[in-house]
Amino acid sequence: MASKSQLKLSGKGSKSGGSSSNLSASSGGKGGRKRVTLEQTEVLDDEDEKDSLAFKVLTVEQTNSLMGSNVLQMQEQLKEIFSLCNYTIDLTEAATLDYYTAAVYWGVQQKFTAQQLSGFFTVVHMLLGNVKDKHMSLVENMVEFNKLFAGIGIEDVKSTGLDFFDLPSVKSITQYMYSSLFQHYRLFLYMFTHSQAEEIIGTDLEVEVAKSASLPHPPPLEEGVTEEMHSLYIATPPPTPTPEPEEEKPDAAQELEDQVSQSDLFSQLTANDVREVIESVTREMLGSLQTEIGMKLQDKEAQIIQRINKIHRVAE
């Protein structure tokens, strides 16, 4: 806290006109001598506390909580503080949350005190508000930034509420703001002055559910299952098919016995028996052939006789 010294000049005698300041003087006595008494009192300056930019945006509790968090926890807390719940689909909220999180994380890395971190975040918030709400140009916003740190490090010059920073800290903050906000100023200005294009994405979801409670399907389930899962684990398995009767295959021993019996039968035949068998087979096969040939010869003979008769008739 800064303090002011109030000086009072008091004396006995007739009063004379005072100056425009808070100083008052009185003269009197012999020879026109003046007796001046100085009284110095220390007065608490509440106006300095009101003009300070610390804890204007972030409270003491919020600042201390952010200082003890990692970067993911910082992002979650800033999302709740500034109601940036749609940052996953809204580009402006996503950029704002990223901007705030990076600023707080950088301030913690610089080992700022709670007062310094809160004051620094107030500056960050004010500069972004100039872009978002007032649509200031780059030059205008840089002028506002310079006004915030004017008077720091200079005696007898009152600053704008950031007296808790020293010149090295101000230099670091200036470099950070130039590399984070001012370097990408046109992108921020374009983002806050143009509406984001809305894109609706739809997805068709097909869910197979069980049929009514009739075999082979069970009663409907609370959740849908695929047909493959139903067939493997739920559906009643089909009945086992009845095996077809196998064809009876001839016994190899029986075939061998038949062959042996036939060979024994042929061995008992004599030469006359074989001759008679051959002749009987020949007569059966050639008998019909002989009859057919004879009939054809008779037809041919009849035709020749008819031609001869015609020739005789012509000759007569």
Side-chain angles (χ1 to χ4, degrees), residues 291-316:
T291 304
E292 185 178 354
I293 293 173
M295 292 179 62
K296 290 183 178 181
L297 290 175
Q298 290 177 1
D299 293 339
K300 192 70 174 178
E301 183 180 1
Q303 293 176 1
I304 294 172
I305 291 172
Q306 290 179 359
R307 291 180 181 178
I308 293 172
N309 292 333
K310 289 181 180 180
I311 294 172
H312 286 298
R313 288 174 187 175
V314 172
E316 291 178 357

Side-chain angles (χ1 to χ4, degrees), residues 11-178:
K12 296 182 180 180
S14 61
K15 295 182 180 180
S16 61
S19 61
S20 59
S21 64
N22 292 330
L23 298 178
S24 59
S26 58
S27 61
K30 297 181 180 179
R33 293 182 178 178
K34 296 181 180 180
R35 187 175 58 184
V36 180
T37 304
L38 299 178
E39 297 178 358
Q40 184 175 2
T41 59
E42 297 292 337
V43 180
L44 182 63
D45 190 5
D46 295 334
E47 294 181 356
D48 288 350
E49 184 177 0
K50 294 180 180 179
D51 294 339
S52 176
L53 295 181
F55 310 115
K56 292 292 184 181
V57 179
L58 297 177
T59 62
V60 178
E61 293 78 9
Q62 292 172 347
T63 305
N64 292 330
S65 178
L66 289 171
M67 293 179 67
S69 305
N70 55 36
V71 63
L72 295 179
Q73 294 172 345
M74 290 178 186
Q75 179 177 336
E76 190 67 23
Q77 294 181 34
L78 292 171
K79 180 191 72 174
E80 298 296 333
I81 294 173
F82 296 99
S83 300
L84 301 174
C85 299
N86 296 326
Y87 69 97
T88 55
I89 58 176
D90 193 336
L91 180 61
T92 57
E93 290 192 7
T96 302
L97 181 60
D98 183 70
Y99 174 75
Y100 286 161
T101 305
V104 173
Y105 184 75
W106 181 84
V108 174
Q109 293 296 315
Q110 297 297 313
K111 302 186 183 304
F112 285 165
T113 63
Q115 185 183 31
Q116 290 176 334
L117 181 61
S118 179
F120 168 67
F121 190 84
T122 302
V123 175
V124 169
H125 184 267
M126 290 174 61
L127 295 178
L128 187 64
N130 292 339
V131 184
K132 182 178 180 180
D133 301 328
K134 300 179 181 179
H135 304 314
M136 285 187 178
S137 64
L138 175 60
V139 176
E140 292 173 344
N141 213 357
M142 291 179 67
V143 171
E144 293 296 325
F145 174 72
N146 292 331
K147 288 181 180 179
L148 292 174
F149 291 97
I152 295 179
I154 303 176
E155 297 180 358
D156 300 332
V157 177
K158 184 179 180 180
S159 66
T160 57
L162 298 173
D163 295 329
F164 40 80
F165 283 116
D166 53 8
L167 288 179
S169 299
V170 174
K171 183 178 180 180
S172 300
I173 293 173
T174 303
Q175 293 176 352
Y176 175 79
M177 294 308 303
Y178 271 83

